[in-house]
Amino acid sequence: MKSDSVTKGMQQAPHRSLFNALGMTEEELNRPLVGIVSSYNEIVPGHMNLDKIVDAVKQGVAMAGGTPIVFPAIAVCDGIAMGHIGMKYSLVTRDLICDSTECMALAHAFDALVMVPNCDKNVPGLLMAAARLNIPTVFVSGGPMLAGRVKGQKRSLSSMFEAVGSYAAGTMTEDDVREFENSVCPTCGSCSGMYTANSMNCLTEAIGMGLEGNGTIPAVYSARIKLAKHAGMKVMELLEKNIRPRDIMNEKAFLNALTVDMALGCSTNTMLHLPAIAHEAGVNLDLSLANEISRRTPNLCHLAPAGPTYMEDLYQAGGVYAVMKELTKKNLLYTDLITATGKTVGENIAKAVNRDPEVIRPVENPYSETGGLAILTGNLAPDSGVVKRSAVVPEMMKHEGPARVFDCEEDAIAAIKGGKIVPGDVVVIRYEGPKGGPGMREMLNPTSAIAGMGLGASVALITDGRFSGASRGASIGHVSPEAAVGGPIALVHEGDIISIDIDACRLDLKVDDEELARRKAEWKPKEPKVTTGYLARYAKLVTSGNRGAILEIK
């Protein structure tokens, strides 16, 4: 046991004296020490119930013969951080979460871990930590929020942001907005659509690190407490069998995750997080694989913002396992892989049933024959850009229009809400990438403003930043190389024609090579927006979006 180095032998008497100070008994110290990484805080709605989840995990660990010990992980609420300097601090926390968990787990010689995340960056951050540490680990999240209701219709946070755009367009009153404000987020939990948090929690099941229901059981359901107790018990089984994260998260498991991602229509942010997790697991996940997988994977779900269904509906329909069972009808998954259940993928999903073919389309009747995400390349994105294809209206799958160029998010929002963006335009927001932001802000405010102003079927948005899972429309993010390093997006001039062909996976600037070379020769880097603190250090180490925005010592 790893914990023997702090609990056994005469040399460890000083260590035991400190455990005595914690009130620990000899019996507890003779059991495996299981770290429970709690992302509980009082600022993130998806985390306000994690104290109860953690207590249930502790009970499960203790029932199975372990000693549970809680330590914290930070988490940022992307919704609260949206649209101001706070959003620069969202993606960057992924690495802080991973690094701090590594520090705590190794400094205190834990034998196993249970990760208790829920929202946005602490799910991938803890998955990265699990892969890096490679000690037996199970994930159990806090669960999704129930959908709100406005005038009898289910609504969610994306509806709220779009309501602000509708108010700016004069199509909604202040009282209308207030009704949305008081109704769209009715319970604790990760916001109720297939946004980043729910996408990553679902993929935790798909990749084999979470138990059934981890991505879909609503936060307020008692089944979530039972799941947490089972997670605590299960980690003790994994410890006994010595099943570790890298046994589970191998190359084939990541291909399974990409396949389920395409079927569910997950957030574009998964294209940042899966490569970063794979990197920690020693797997090279080339994003070019995403289009290959998308070509053969049907899109089976249209959850908000792509459609009218929500996470609670996916749960009632059979959850992630039911989606996976559908995919096996076309032999699209590796089913012989070991998972955190102690069983294989095939054994896990053997009894799964699709209980609602309107929420989870059968493979014979998909929303589309291709997956929910697409990776675009072209002279405007030589490395890549990413779009949530399943959330794009048909008339915008192919689009050509003049560039409207902005060097920060705030200027773009002012132009959109000021009525300066017209049908046909292609809004370009640059210098918002991992280095240029720094921190690669989400662009939910401008995409929601476009939708709320009634321009969702006629205006595209391109950025080297990224999008919230709540964004919809022809929103192409992660354009790499980013503007801050002289990528072609830095060379776009106002009025240049941009061509988008999502089916062909192309993103091109209709400017000849000679002119682009001239502009490149004249381009000068901008002064860093932040020169002190964590963001400045992050900007020096971070790589491009197509590599998952991982940190790398040059």
Side-chain angles (χ1 to χ4, degrees):
M1 287 290 191
K2 283 182 178 290
S3 60
D4 287 354
S5 62
V6 294
T7 60
K8 302 289 192 298
M10 186 55 65
Q11 288 296 320
Q12 280 64 46
H15 305 71
R16 289 194 296 275
S17 72
L18 293 167
F19 282 112
N20 287 336
L22 292 167
M24 285 201 178
T25 64
E26 184 176 342
E27 290 83 359
E28 287 173 297
L29 295 183
N30 284 331
R31 298 171 180 170
L33 301 186
V34 179
I36 301 174
V37 188
S38 171
S39 300
Y40 170 77
N41 64 44
E42 295 183 341
I43 189 65
V44 183
H47 291 218
M48 62 181 286
N49 66 321
L50 294 192
D51 55 342
K52 296 176 177 60
I53 302 297
V54 167
D55 283 346
V57 172
K58 289 173 69 175
Q59 291 178 54
V61 169
M63 282 190 286
T67 298
I69 303 173
V70 180
F71 65 88
I74 64 169
V76 164
C77 177
D78 277 19
I80 295 173
M82 196 73 66
H84 58 96
I85 192 173
M87 183 44 69
K88 294 179 184 289
Y89 286 91
S90 171
L91 178 61
V92 305
T93 63
R94 186 184 70 180
D95 296 275
L96 282 175
I97 291 161
C98 177
D99 292 347
S100 61
T101 302
E102 174 195 359
C103 293
M104 289 293 288
L106 294 182
H108 301 103
F110 287 108
D111 297 304
L113 297 170
V114 180
M115 306 294 199
V116 187
N118 206 30
C119 291
D120 298 301
K121 308 313 165 296
N122 72 328
V123 183
L126 290 177
L127 281 166
M128 289 164 67
R132 185 186 295 178
L133 289 162
N134 201 33
I135 59 177
T137 302
V138 175
F139 275 69
V140 56
S141 74
M145 184 184 290
L146 295 178
R149 289 185 180 271
V150 179
K151 294 180 171 59
Q153 290 187 313
K154 285 185 178 180
R155 297 291 188 177
S156 62
L157 185 65
S158 55
S159 310
M160 183 70 255
F161 277 89
E162 290 178 15
V164 175
S166 297
Y167 176 77
T171 58
M172 193 174 279
T173 67
E174 187 173 343
D175 286 343
D176 292 332
V177 174
R178 186 60 58 84
E179 184 178 1
F180 272 77
E181 182 181 330
N182 290 326
S183 304
V184 298
C185 296
T187 70
C188 64
S190 47
C191 295
S192 56
M194 188 54 82
Y195 310 145
T196 303
N198 292 326
S199 295
M200 290 307 304
N201 281 321
C202 286
L203 294 187
T204 302
E205 287 188 60
I207 209 168
M209 290 297 293
L211 308 185
E212 182 180 9
N214 183 57
T216 58
I217 298 172
V220 294
Y221 283 16
S222 297
R224 177 65 56 179
I225 300 295
K226 293 169 68 175
L227 180 73
K229 291 176 182 176
H230 283 130
M233 290 185 270
K234 186 60 67 174
V235 80
M236 298 303 296
E237 179 186 328
L238 296 182
L239 179 60
E240 182 183 350
K241 294 178 177 178
N242 196 29
I243 298 174
R244 300 169 182 244
R246 290 195 185 192
D247 299 324
I248 296 167
M249 292 192 286
N250 55 34
E251 183 177 3
K252 289 180 179 179
F254 282 100
L255 297 180
N256 277 356
L258 276 174
T259 302
V260 175
D261 190 331
M262 296 299 172
L264 285 171
C266 289
S267 163
T268 53
N269 280 312
T270 61
M271 294 297 102
L272 281 176
H273 300 321
L274 286 176
I277 299 160
H279 174 75
E280 295 292 347
V283 174
N284 179 29
L285 189 63
D286 188 337
L287 282 187
S288 64
L289 290 170
N291 283 342
E292 181 184 328
I293 289 172
S294 181
R295 275 191 288 272
R296 62 176 183 258
T297 305
N299 178 224
L300 305 181
C301 300
H302 267 193
L303 292 129
T309 53
Y310 293 80
M311 296 305 297
E312 62 203 67
D313 302 312
L314 180 58
Y315 171 60
Q316 296 295 341
V320 175
Y321 278 14
V323 174
M324 295 174 73
K325 185 73 172 288
E326 289 288 346
L327 293 173
T328 60
K329 294 178 183 178
K330 294 184 72 174
N331 297 315
L332 292 173
L333 296 177
Y334 296 98
T335 58
D336 59 346
L337 308 180
I338 195 68
T339 70
T341 66
K343 300 176 181 178
T344 65
V345 171
E347 290 172 319
N348 287 344
I349 66 175
K351 296 181 180 179
V353 176
N354 182 355
R355 295 191 289 267
D356 191 337
E358 292 302 311
V359 177
I360 304 172
R361 290 276 187 94
V363 290
E364 301 85 5
N365 180 36
Y367 282 101
S368 68
E369 294 292 343
T370 53
L373 298 178
I375 304 297
L376 311 186
T377 55
N379 73 345
L380 188 50
D383 291 336
S384 69
V386 62
V387 64
K388 189 170 185 174
R389 173 164 45 194
S390 59
V392 179
V393 294
E395 53 266 44
M396 289 300 289
M397 294 294 285
K398 193 169 185 177
H399 181 77
E400 204 169 274
R404 305 299 308 280
V405 184
F406 305 93
D407 286 353
C408 68
E409 177 190 8
E410 289 81 359
D411 290 348
I413 292 170
I416 295 165
K417 292 186 175 178
K420 296 179 181 178
I421 302 302
V422 299
D425 283 348
V426 179
V427 176
V428 176
I429 306 177
R430 61 192 181 188
Y431 294 99
E432 290 284 7
K435 283 186 180 295
M440 205 178 188
R441 289 195 286 181
E442 287 186 343
M443 301 291 155
L444 180 55
N445 272 336
T447 58
S448 298
I450 287 170
M453 302 272 298
L455 298 170
S458 60
V459 169
L461 195 154
I462 296 169
T463 182
D464 54 6
R466 60 195 179 90
F467 295 111
S468 164
S471 292
R472 61 188 176 100
S475 304
I476 301 164
H478 310 189
V479 170
S480 303
E482 63 174 292
V485 298
I489 192 171
L491 311 179
V492 180
H493 286 184
E494 183 81 8
D496 284 347
I497 300 300
I498 293 176
S499 172
I500 301 165
D501 189 336
I502 293 172
D503 285 332
C505 299
R506 295 290 306 181
L507 179 61
D508 290 293
L509 181 64
K510 302 195 88 173
V511 173
D512 63 52
D513 292 345
E514 186 177 324
E515 172 61 14
L516 282 178
R518 186 188 66 78
R519 293 182 187 180
K520 177 69 173 177
E522 293 177 352
W523 177 80
K524 290 184 174 62
K526 286 184 178 289
E527 289 295 318
K529 294 177 184 175
V530 180
T531 57
T532 61
Y534 178 57
L535 285 179
R537 297 198 302 277
Y538 180 88
K540 288 182 183 298
L541 297 175
V542 71
T543 61
S544 62
N546 69 300
R547 294 186 58 200
I550 60 172
L551 301 188
E552 189 173 72
I553 298 172
K554 304 295 189 292

